[in-house]
Amino acid sequence: MLFGIAVILIPGMLAGRLSKQFKFPGLFGMILVGMVIGPYGLNIIDSKLLGISDEIRRIALIIILLRAGITLNIGDLKKVGRPAVLMCFLPACFEIIGMVLLAPVLLNVSIIDAAVMGAVVGAVSPAVIVPRMIEMIEKGYGTKKGIPQLILAGASVDDVFVIVLFTAVAGMAKGQSVGVLEFVNIPVSIMLGMCVGFVAGGCLCLVFNRTSVQNTLKIAVLLSVSFVLVTVEDKLTTAITFSALPAVMFMGIAIKHYNQVISEALSGTLNKMWTVAEIFLFVLVGAGVNTGKALDYGIKAIILVLSVLIFRMAGVIICLAKTGLCFRERLFCVISYIPKATVQAAIGGLPLAMGLGCGEVVLTVSVLAILITAPLGAFGIDLTYKKLLTKDN
């Protein structure tokens, strides 16, 4: 397994750097490397690593949510207000509706399979968005109107909303009975998760304030608590549950709120951890792609990915209605909500692992969504933010 780790890390790191040389997101090259060295390519990745790839992807998702939470400021969220709340779920809902309408026609799948696909593809990517929004906040672009804060908060909670929704829809696809209570549980579990996470983060902040502990150990404690929360969520069988992923993010928000010095130190450590975690995440998701099936779906899958983006854009425009943002600023928000990567990489392979008949097509469309939208969104953000947003002093 040690050699298998090296096989993932070294080519993945080199491919990521090469992608950045051509102004592509690093994850683009990592996914391509995974497709080459995975079981449908050269087949040189250790099967033991492939066996635990779901857990590895989950750890990577926890790291990026902690990182997003520690960056967010509650005051900024309050300042943005209603649009931030709508951006957390409305664009994703629009995209899922688009997938349900178009996927059965283009890919000949059932409506419930299309809903599963929409719940995977419908999330934006913190891996692409978070670093760029943090950079914009530091440089002062759009911060007076809270635009990067709006996108950062919306994108982070959007992921959590989609993942919780995916759990319910996947249960329906497996033939489990899903009633009104299960759908009521979606917003309730997210809110409960936020409360649990904020309280846990506040308690951890008290401990960190009263003890002299290295940042590395603080991160170890944060990750351990996150793992416990995720495990508790998995074990709960009650009708009303709590969602661990918003809890993870709101632990970071609470630490930022109560002690900004600690949050900045932890943010630097999490950034370094993410450098390694993203290599595993995107190389492994590439390794799970059946390239033969991908070619079979071909142009129809690409048309589907691009078409549902139009639904997402419509959702973003509605979220920003009656705000103080001008046309240029709204256009930037639409562009910023294009990239996909993190959630698709984290849960794109789950339908296949669950034995769902739509598993291969969901994974294929997920990877195509990453390969198309991640570079498109990253280029769009990088090329337009200085032109579309005002730099604040």
Side-chain angles (χ1 to χ4, degrees):
M1 185 180 287
L2 294 178
F3 177 74
I5 292 173
V7 166
I8 290 174
L9 282 176
I10 296 173
M13 180 175 59
L14 293 175
R17 286 183 172 274
L18 186 61
S19 290
K20 290 176 181 178
Q21 291 293 321
F22 290 96
K23 305 302 181 183
F24 279 76
L27 59 90
F28 188 85
M30 295 171 195
I31 290 175
L32 293 181
V33 162
M35 294 170 70
V36 171
I37 66 176
Y40 300 103
L42 299 177
N43 194 23
I44 57 176
I45 296 181
D46 194 317
S47 59
K48 294 179 181 177
L49 281 173
L50 292 174
I52 60 171
S53 62
D54 290 344
E55 287 76 11
I56 294 173
R57 290 199 293 264
R58 208 169 193 184
I59 291 171
L61 187 59
I62 287 171
I63 291 172
I64 194 64
L65 286 174
L66 277 174
R67 186 182 174 205
I70 281 179
T71 306
L72 284 172
N73 188 304
I74 291 181
D76 292 335
L77 296 182
K78 290 179 180 178
K79 182 171 65 176
V80 174
R82 174 187 59 85
V85 176
L86 293 178
M87 292 281 274
C88 293
F89 67 92
L90 199 59
C93 288
F94 269 63
E95 188 164 5
I96 292 169
I97 291 170
M99 189 68 77
V100 169
L101 292 174
L102 298 177
V105 177
L106 289 171
L107 300 183
N108 195 29
V109 297
S110 67
I111 291 177
I112 188 63
D113 288 345
V116 172
M117 196 181 306
V120 173
V121 175
V124 294
S125 171
V128 177
I129 292 174
V130 169
R132 285 169 170 79
M133 294 305 115
I134 293 173
E135 181 182 353
M136 286 170 51
I137 291 171
E138 291 171 348
K139 291 182 178 179
Y141 280 94
T143 52
K144 188 174 182 179
K145 292 186 178 180
I147 294 170
Q149 296 93 324
L150 162 67
I151 296 166
L152 189 61
S156 301
V157 182
D158 164 281
D159 286 2
V160 174
F161 169 75
V162 168
I163 291 169
V164 176
L165 185 62
F166 166 78
T167 304
V169 177
M172 294 174 62
K174 290 179 69 175
Q176 299 173 358
S177 60
V178 178
V180 175
L181 186 60
E182 281 74 14
F183 282 98
V184 170
N185 185 46
I186 293 173
V188 173
S189 66
I190 291 174
M191 293 300 296
L192 284 175
M194 290 176 177
C195 295
V196 169
F198 198 83
V199 170
C203 293
L204 287 175
C205 208
L206 283 175
V207 174
F208 293 157
N209 287 338
R210 295 180 180 181
T211 56
S212 179
V213 181
Q214 292 180 345
N215 290 330
T216 307
L217 293 178
K218 290 175 184 174
I219 291 294
V221 171
L222 267 178
L223 289 175
S224 298
V225 174
S226 300
F227 297 159
V228 169
L229 290 171
V230 170
T231 304
V232 169
E233 181 193 13
D234 291 340
K235 299 295 183 182
L236 280 178
T237 56
T238 54
I240 298 296
T241 61
F242 84 99
S243 180
L245 294 177
V248 169
M249 187 175 71
F250 268 74
M251 275 201 303
I253 290 176
I255 292 171
K256 171 80 171 180
H257 177 68
Y258 289 115
N259 195 317
Q260 192 160 346
V261 175
I262 290 178
S263 70
E264 289 175 357
L266 295 182
S267 179
T269 305
L270 284 169
N271 289 344
K272 295 173 184 176
M273 292 182 67
W274 174 246
T275 303
V276 177
E278 71 170 341
I279 298 174
F280 278 102
L281 176 63
F282 294 114
V283 171
L284 287 172
V285 75
V289 177
N290 186 331
T291 50
K293 288 287 184 181
L295 292 174
D296 290 341
Y297 297 120
I299 190 67
K300 291 183 178 179
I302 295 173
I303 291 172
L304 178 63
V305 169
L306 294 175
S307 298
V308 295
L309 275 181
I310 298 173
F311 284 81
R312 167 171 285 279
M313 292 174 180
V316 174
I317 292 170
I318 291 174
C319 291
L320 301 177
K322 297 183 179 180
T323 62
L325 303 185
C326 66
F327 173 78
R328 292 182 294 106
E329 292 164 337
R330 297 185 190 198
L331 177 60
F332 177 79
C333 292
V334 170
I335 294 170
S336 297
Y337 252 51
I338 289 176
K340 304 174 183 298
T342 319
V343 171
Q344 291 72 31
I347 67 174
L350 288 185
L352 186 60
M354 295 165 65
L356 298 181
C358 62
E360 283 192 338
V361 64
V362 170
L363 178 59
T364 300
V365 172
S366 298
V367 172
L368 285 174
I370 296 172
L371 294 177
I372 294 169
T373 65
L376 187 63
F379 283 142
I381 294 170
D382 293 343
L383 294 176
T384 63
Y385 78 91
K386 291 183 179 179
K387 299 175 183 177
L388 299 180
L389 302 180
T390 303
K391 186 173 182 179
D392 307 310
N393 294 323

